[in-house]
Amino acid sequence: MVSNIPEESTTFIGRRAELHRIGNDLTEHRLVTLTGPGGVGKTRIAMRAARAAAPRFRDGVCWADLWPLQGDGRLVAGVCDAVGLADHSARTPVAALCEWLADRRLLLVLDSCEHLVEACRDLLGDLLTAAPGVTVLVTSRQPLDIVGEWTTEIGPLSCTGDNDALALFTERAGTAAPGRRLTAPRSVAAAAAICRRLEGIPLALELAGAQLAHSSVERIAARLTSRFDALDGDGPVQPPRHRTLRCAIGWSHELCAPLERLLWARLSVFRGTFDEESASAVCAGGPLTGPGVRTALAGLAAKSVLSREGSRFRMLDTLREYGRMWLAELAESRTLADRHAAHFAALGRRAEQGWLGPEQLAWYRRIADAHVDLCTALDHFLATDPEQAQELSASIGFFWSCCGHLHEARDYVARALAAHPGPGPARTRALWTLGVAVLLQGDLASAEALGRECARAARESRDTEAVLQAGYLIGLTHLMAGRPMSAHTVVAQVLGPPPHAPFDSPGRLRCHLVQIFALTGLGRLGEARAEATALRRGCEQRGEYWTRSYTDYQLSLISLFQDRPEESAEHARAMLAAKQGIGDKFGIALGLDLLAAAVAAQGDGAAAARVSGSGQAVWRTVGHPQRGTPELRAVRAQCEQRARAAIGDEAYADAFHQASEEGPGTALPRILAGDL
């Protein structure tokens, strides 16, 4: 059982009755929605409820953060990420997701659905029908209004009796001002007054508690009372909760330094988490300098406007909405959206340029961290500058295709090509990127057509790198179709006569890799081994991972063919370690197949069955039957035959099934550690 429930960064106070009720609800209903205003604590309660319910679900808990998603189009992709599905098929994402979950027994949590209500309603209508073992817990400011939905309203913390509101405020105040204790009667009374005035709304209490770093509890209570009294006018003494939270946020905003307020507004343009470099690049300007951004970030974090997640920052939706309102007041909304998109376009270019260098692995991780904001930038460019959308989608499309965002890569590149049909370097690169995506989905005919179109455009523009990339795409398509001679001929033509310098460019390096695959497919194993060994050495020297992992793939395969199973297993493990670092599930599945074959060739049938089962579990996450170059089919068949002969059919089936039910996230580290 594997769960991805977010870790809690602060202590959890109260909510015993709510958690007990939600636990019962999840037993009796398949769709439970926690409703309530922003800042009331729905997400934290959902975390606790999901963690408590997890043992009841064989396949664990899958948590999907929906708060960063902009527009209905990314909902299914976000849920696929949460459940570990990196689909490489040409099916619709909804169909792939429903099939993936059909036999699962898990709890799916959709957090912050209020801006995607209609899309969530449509998705869950399909999902709950297709996957009878799935239970869904939703947090939203409003119900989804779907048949079978059970709604539980989450209210504020109690300000009487156990007074959980006071406990929360006191705890957060202690964090903001270590060593200062609210024990004197006057301080306790002031803290209780703050809790009542803020009606026990957790986010409001967190913001107020953070002010203890700079002020006394008595002064905070007095200022807060003055502010609410001024706003109340002739209205009721207790304003509605949404107004209470808005007033508390506004009060916290007023207590920020002017540059902190400016940064708050500008940071609202980010949809996901962000680092200091991105914040400075997008938000610096005018009175807010680069060093000023660093200072203001620290100030906003200290005031609980931002939360830290490692080296990155996050702003809660409710606070982002307030910042966006002020950004509009400053008439900077379009300017910041342009700067945000330009920054992530530059990030994409730098990532593409750094793909071949020693920072390749770091770039894969940075592209993964920035995924939501890269999508936001692409959406902006599709509406304002389609040629830039082509440029950005081409820059990051290969990263996405390798790391489980194949549907999004294909969708964004196709939309960018349709939006700007005119010729140009960006279009040629986008054609290549789209061709790689459709090829990885198994659409060989479309990949071949795109390869030819890309090659024509490259020749017409005399773009040497584009010619190489087109050669790689066409050659790889031939390999996948079982035509190694054609693949070898194509890449030999684009590479030209020796001597070769494979590391001159990404396209040249990839063509050399296709050449090695083709030599293996043609049975020229000695040449293939020599070429792969030399290429691998060059990759190691340069800190390159992607190509190196596939040279290990070829060396593992060649070693099997040459009856060197120990060497084959060593190269398969090296491939798996590299693919794990990149996040390439397709490559991990291939590597596990090879490792199983190598282990079977050494006579360990039980270990081979277990590794094969683990490989099957990963193949399910990429959404199609085992695939790879055609010669791998015979390797898989021989692996199973050897393993069954060694331990018997029944023992093989038991070991395979048990391993196939284990989560890939648990199995792979164990296998890499040598525990087969």
Side-chain angles (χ1 to χ4, degrees):
M1 180 182 69
V2 178
S3 299
N4 65 339
I5 305 168
E7 293 296 322
E8 297 180 79
S9 57
T10 56
T11 54
F12 186 85
I13 306 293
R15 302 295 196 180
R16 288 183 295 274
E18 291 95 329
L19 290 172
H20 179 74
R21 184 169 69 249
I22 295 166
N24 290 336
D25 293 343
L26 290 172
T27 301
E28 299 172 7
H29 306 281
R30 291 188 58 212
L31 173 59
V32 176
T33 300
L34 309 184
T35 62
V40 81
K42 299 183 294 297
T43 296
R44 290 296 300 273
I45 293 172
M47 287 181 187
R48 280 293 171 115
R51 195 167 281 114
R56 304 206 301 265
F57 294 92
R58 181 192 65 210
D59 297 306
V61 178
C62 295
W63 183 284
D65 278 321
L66 304 189
W67 56 268
L69 306 186
Q70 186 175 22
D72 295 350
R74 290 214 61 249
L75 172 63
V76 178
V79 176
C80 287
D81 289 345
V83 302
L85 175 61
D87 185 57
H88 278 58
S89 73
R91 297 170 298 176
T92 67
V94 172
L97 179 61
C98 286
E99 183 176 329
W100 168 244
L101 293 176
D103 60 350
R104 306 277 164 174
R105 188 167 178 271
L106 59 79
L107 175 63
L108 174 64
V109 185
L110 304 182
D111 183 40
S112 301
C113 293
E114 52 274 347
H115 60 303
L116 300 169
V117 166
E118 187 172 343
C120 287
R121 186 185 300 131
D122 292 342
L123 173 61
L124 292 180
D126 293 333
L127 196 58
L128 291 170
T129 301
V134 171
T135 296
V136 182
L137 177 62
V138 168
T139 72
S140 177
R141 296 180 197 176
Q142 65 183 92
L144 301 183
D145 290 329
I146 185 173
V147 174
E149 179 183 30
W150 181 265
T151 303
T152 295
E153 184 174 0
I154 302 300
L157 292 168
S158 170
C159 295
T160 59
D162 291 339
N163 206 337
D164 290 332
L166 181 58
L168 176 65
F169 177 78
T170 302
E171 199 279 336
R172 299 298 188 263
T175 301
R180 185 186 301 177
R181 299 182 180 278
L182 303 181
T183 54
R186 183 179 174 188
S187 296
V188 172
I194 291 171
C195 294
R196 289 193 299 272
R197 175 55 78 179
L198 295 177
E199 297 190 84
I201 299 174
L203 177 56
L205 296 172
E206 299 241 4
L207 294 171
Q211 298 300 329
L212 264 292
H214 311 286
S215 185
S216 70
V217 67
E218 292 84 4
R219 291 180 64 189
I220 291 172
R223 288 176 179 173
L224 192 59
T225 299
S226 297
R227 176 178 176 82
F228 274 95
D229 286 347
L231 291 171
D232 285 348
D234 296 328
V237 174
Q238 295 292 335
R241 285 170 188 162
H242 70 273
R243 186 183 176 203
T244 298
L245 180 59
R246 195 165 189 83
C247 289
I249 294 172
W251 171 65
S252 185
H253 185 260
E254 289 175 7
L255 294 177
C256 289
L259 292 182
E260 291 173 350
R261 294 199 293 267
L262 179 58
L263 182 61
W264 183 344
R266 290 178 174 178
L267 287 174
S268 68
V269 75
F270 288 95
R271 297 297 307 183
T273 62
F274 53 88
D275 58 19
E276 184 181 306
E277 178 189 336
S278 292
S280 182
V282 174
C283 300
L288 189 58
T289 63
V293 168
R294 187 180 307 114
T295 301
L297 280 172
L300 291 174
K303 294 177 177 67
S304 294
V305 176
L306 299 176
S307 59
R308 292 182 185 268
E309 298 182 0
S311 62
R312 302 179 70 80
F313 296 88
R314 174 185 171 183
M315 185 183 291
L316 291 177
D317 277 351
T318 309
L319 302 179
R320 184 186 296 108
E321 290 166 6
Y322 193 85
R324 195 175 294 124
M325 178 191 74
W326 277 101
L327 193 65
E329 288 288 325
L330 295 169
E332 287 192 349
S333 297
R334 176 59 189 267
T335 299
L336 264 291
D338 288 342
R339 285 166 62 176
H340 175 276
H343 168 69
F344 284 99
L347 183 75
R349 287 192 295 272
R350 289 165 54 203
E352 187 178 32
Q353 292 161 5
W355 184 86
L356 194 50
E359 298 299 314
Q360 186 189 77
L361 190 59
W363 278 117
Y364 272 99
R365 290 170 180 165
R366 289 193 67 179
I367 292 298
D369 287 341
H371 182 74
V372 172
D373 281 292
L374 285 166
C375 291
T376 302
L378 281 167
D379 289 332
H380 180 78
F381 282 139
L382 283 168
T384 62
D385 190 343
E387 190 171 10
Q388 274 292 317
Q390 283 183 6
E391 181 76 28
L392 177 53
S393 62
S395 296
I396 63 176
F398 190 75
F399 288 93
W400 279 4
S401 293
C402 292
C403 299
H405 297 294
L406 201 53
H407 283 284
E408 286 168 291
R410 181 172 184 170
D411 177 63
Y412 272 116
V413 178
R415 287 164 59 196
L417 286 166
H420 184 72
R427 181 174 183 80
T428 306
R429 291 168 54 243
L431 286 168
W432 173 78
T433 305
L434 181 59
V436 172
V438 301
L439 178 61
L440 289 174
Q441 288 184 321
D443 188 350
L444 301 189
S446 295
E448 195 165 2
L450 286 163
R452 289 195 298 268
E453 186 178 355
C454 181
R456 282 195 301 271
R459 287 193 300 269
E460 289 170 3
S461 63
R462 298 183 180 181
D463 185 335
T464 303
E465 178 64 8
V467 168
L468 289 164
Q469 299 284 36
Y472 165 75
L473 173 57
I474 295 169
L476 187 58
T477 305
H478 283 311
L479 284 175
M480 299 287 276
R483 301 188 293 264
M485 179 59 77
S486 298
H488 190 274
T489 301
V490 167
V491 295
Q493 287 175 346
V494 298
L495 285 172
H500 293 142
F503 294 95
D504 276 0
S505 76
R508 189 170 294 278
L509 179 61
R510 292 170 186 144
C511 283
H512 275 276
L513 186 61
V514 169
Q515 194 170 56
I516 294 168
F517 273 63
L519 288 171
T520 303
L522 291 168
R524 295 159 60 176
L525 301 183
E527 292 176 72
R529 175 182 282 276
E531 293 285 343
T533 301
L535 198 64
R536 189 188 192 284
R537 188 181 306 116
C539 291
E540 272 193 304
Q541 291 169 354
R542 291 164 176 81
E544 199 278 348
Y545 279 78
W546 185 86
T547 308
R548 184 172 73 183
S549 70
Y550 279 118
T551 60
D552 275 312
Y553 170 80
Q554 284 298 295
L555 287 167
S556 179
L557 193 60
I558 293 165
S559 296
L560 270 178
F561 293 154
Q562 294 182 331
D563 198 23
R564 299 174 176 178
E566 292 84 2
E567 284 185 28
S568 177
E570 182 181 343
H571 285 298
R573 286 192 182 92
M575 177 192 183
L576 287 168
K579 290 301 187 185
Q580 182 186 43
I582 291 172
D584 181 357
K585 290 186 177 180
F586 181 80
I588 289 170
L590 290 173
L592 288 170
D593 284 352
L594 279 175
L595 180 58
V599 171
Q602 294 176 65
D604 192 341
R610 289 192 293 271
V611 176
S612 291
S614 297
Q616 183 63 32
V618 181
W619 280 114
R620 285 201 300 267
T621 71
V622 298
H624 58 62
Q626 292 171 317
R627 204 164 67 193
T629 48
E631 58 268 20
L632 202 55
R633 287 195 289 268
V635 170
R636 292 183 182 116
Q638 189 176 46
C639 169
E640 182 175 344
Q641 184 180 16
R642 283 173 167 168
R644 287 182 180 275
I647 62 173
D649 290 343
E650 186 176 348
Y652 177 89
D654 288 345
F656 181 92
H657 176 74
Q658 185 175 349
S660 71
E661 294 300 310
E662 185 179 10
T666 303
L668 185 58
R670 175 177 53 74
I671 290 170
L672 288 174
D675 181 9
L676 303 183

